[in-house]
Amino acid sequence: MQLKAGPLWDNPYGLVFTTENGTPFNQRRADNGFHKALAAAGLSGFHFHSLRHTYAVNALRAGEDIKTVQANLGHATAAFTLDKYGHFTEQMARDSAARMERFIKGVLNL
């Protein structure tokens, strides 16, 4: 879109959803498109913001470092990101224990 708009491009904040020339995208337009996509997939009951939450939780569960997730979400501190999205699961606990076991065995040459 930026290449197509050329010198008319105006997106100083690096927004993801914009009009054709980079200006802020109307939230209703984004919501409408999101709900159409949900309907086409046979889904309902989700909000657009659910995508952000899903990304954050899954990035953390996949082992992404907290500073990267913080930066991607635009949060001021990693503590805020963890407070908001650091849901603890049994699988995360098992993964953490396995990482520590591998580390300790590596240190002890076991």
Side-chain angles (χ1 to χ4, degrees):
M1 287 175 58
Q2 183 176 358
L3 291 174
K4 188 175 178 182
L8 298 176
W9 185 255
D10 182 25
N11 186 3
Y13 301 110
L15 301 174
V16 175
F17 296 101
T18 68
T19 63
E20 291 77 15
N21 63 352
T23 56
F25 200 80
N26 182 298
Q27 183 177 343
R28 280 195 191 141
R29 187 173 173 190
D31 285 340
N32 288 341
F34 178 67
H35 288 291
K36 284 180 185 177
L38 284 176
L43 301 171
S44 65
F46 296 97
H47 300 282
F48 190 78
H49 192 77
S50 300
L51 297 174
R52 179 180 174 90
H53 182 78
T54 299
Y55 157 74
V57 171
N58 285 318
L60 293 171
R61 288 181 67 201
E64 187 66 72
D65 69 276
I66 188 61
K67 291 300 283 182
T68 299
V69 177
Q70 170 204 344
N72 289 344
L73 293 172
H75 292 160
T77 66
F80 179 84
T81 304
L82 282 171
D83 287 345
K84 186 81 173 160
Y85 296 105
H87 303 300
F88 192 81
T89 67
E90 285 300 317
Q91 186 59 50
M92 288 172 72
R94 285 191 295 273
D95 292 346
S96 176
R99 282 191 303 273
M100 283 306 299
E101 182 177 11
R102 285 191 303 273
F103 173 76
I104 292 167
K105 284 181 176 179
V107 169
L108 300 175
N109 293 318
L110 298 177

